[in-house]
Amino acid sequence: MSLQLTPIDRAKYAAARRAVDLVEDGMKLGLGTGSTAAWMVRALAERVREDGLRLTCVATSARTGQLATELGLKVVTLDEAGWLDLTIDGADEFDTDLTLIKGGGGALLMEKIVATASDRMVVITDASKEVKTLGHFPLPVEVIRFGWQSSRMLTEELLSAMDVMGTQAALRMNGETPFVTDEGNYILDLALGRIGNPRQLSLALNQVPGVVENGLFIDICDAVVIGFGDGRVEMRDIASGSVEHEKIVFEDEDNIFRDI
């Protein structure tokens, strides 16, 4: 009996399948975090099994590392791997310049470190994540726990002078307690509505005492692979300006998704 996958799940898997075709034997890879990245890790493990690729992987979160290890991928630290050839990750929003909002999964700090330690970053996503102007998705900002309320007040004060629609910063919760990142920090989610100048906002946020990093990824992403529910994929490369289209065939969903 075949699993009944949602169109969004099929779109994510189609994008992931296309992205792992970019992987070559001997590469050092950054593995992203989130639901779309999880499809990528599974598709990557499938390629390793079928094609015998020798890869060294760096995970951007504990849960990605655990999944990759369980699927037989070699996972090391970034310090052990050194510079990476490619990072494949998801995004919560992206615009036409491939500026991203990331951090919905709570791993923005490690994701940004790994992405910027790579020759190339490719984002995999479904079409719903593309926007004309960033900001509908809350912008995550990672802060240290000490004095986090002061950091929140300073952040909200700063936002009043930025080109944004909203100024509310909410502490991310995990049930009844604050969400804690793998690095032991808290996350403030900024309800901005619209971000008129992402570069200016990113620079300003990182000047707030207690802020570790923010979820704006600027001039980091090189290409985006957009998946659709019917298996179609569109790959846009910002450097070359090229746009490629193809279709992924779902041959055996029982086999593909048996570990979910």
Side-chain angles (χ1 to χ4, degrees), residues 62-192:
R63 60 186 179 277
T64 294
Q66 180 178 356
L67 175 62
T69 300
E70 289 173 352
L71 293 175
L73 297 176
K74 177 183 177 182
V75 179
V76 302
T77 67
L78 182 58
D79 289 333
E80 290 171 325
W83 197 259
L84 306 178
D85 298 295
L86 172 67
T87 287
I88 305 175
D89 203 347
D92 298 303
E93 280 187 349
F94 71 97
D95 64 14
T96 55
D97 296 323
L98 301 193
T99 299
L100 320 171
I101 286 182
K102 288 182 53 55
L108 67 98
L109 177 58
M110 289 178 68
E111 287 174 331
K112 188 172 282 191
I113 291 172
V114 169
T116 54
S118 306
D119 285 338
R120 195 171 186 223
M121 181 194 189
V122 173
V123 160
I124 50 177
T125 183
D126 62 88
S128 69
K129 304 297 178 62
E130 183 172 12
V131 297
K132 291 183 178 180
T133 304
L134 297 174
H136 178 72
F137 190 91
L139 175 64
V141 175
E142 188 160 341
V143 298
I144 66 170
R145 292 198 232 186
F146 177 82
W148 73 266
Q149 294 194 58
S150 296
S151 298
R152 180 176 66 178
M153 289 187 291
L154 289 169
T155 297
E156 290 180 334
E157 182 179 349
L158 175 153
L159 292 175
S160 65
M162 294 288 106
D163 186 6
V164 296
M165 290 180 62
T167 60
Q168 183 178 3
L171 179 66
R172 185 178 298 185
M173 301 297 290
N174 182 18
E176 299 297 320
T177 60
F179 175 88
V180 179
T181 69
D182 284 353
E183 294 75 39
N185 301 319
Y186 287 164
I187 288 182
L188 301 176
D189 288 311
L190 312 187
L192 305 179

Side-chain angles (χ1 to χ4, degrees), residues 153-253:
M153 289 187 291
L154 289 169
T155 297
E156 290 180 334
E157 182 179 349
L158 175 153
L159 292 175
S160 65
M162 294 288 106
D163 186 6
V164 296
M165 290 180 62
T167 60
Q168 183 178 3
L171 179 66
R172 185 178 298 185
M173 301 297 290
N174 182 18
E176 299 297 320
T177 60
F179 175 88
V180 179
T181 69
D182 284 353
E183 294 75 39
N185 301 319
Y186 287 164
I187 288 182
L188 301 176
D189 288 311
L190 312 187
L192 305 179
R194 178 185 59 82
I195 301 174
N197 190 329
R199 192 177 303 274
Q200 178 191 47
L201 178 60
S202 179
L203 290 171
L205 286 171
N206 283 3
Q207 297 302 310
V208 174
V211 169
V212 180
E213 190 52 83
N214 70 82
L216 285 166
F217 282 51
I218 303 169
D219 299 332
I220 297 176
C221 178
D222 298 287
V224 60
V225 182
I226 306 168
F228 298 85
D230 60 0
R232 289 180 297 120
V233 292
E234 177 181 308
M235 182 171 176
R236 304 178 195 166
D237 189 304
I238 195 168
S240 66
S242 65
V243 179
E244 301 175 6
H245 296 90
E246 60 183 87
K247 189 165 185 176
I248 303 297
V249 177
F250 299 96
E251 295 179 351
D252 187 349
E253 291 182 358

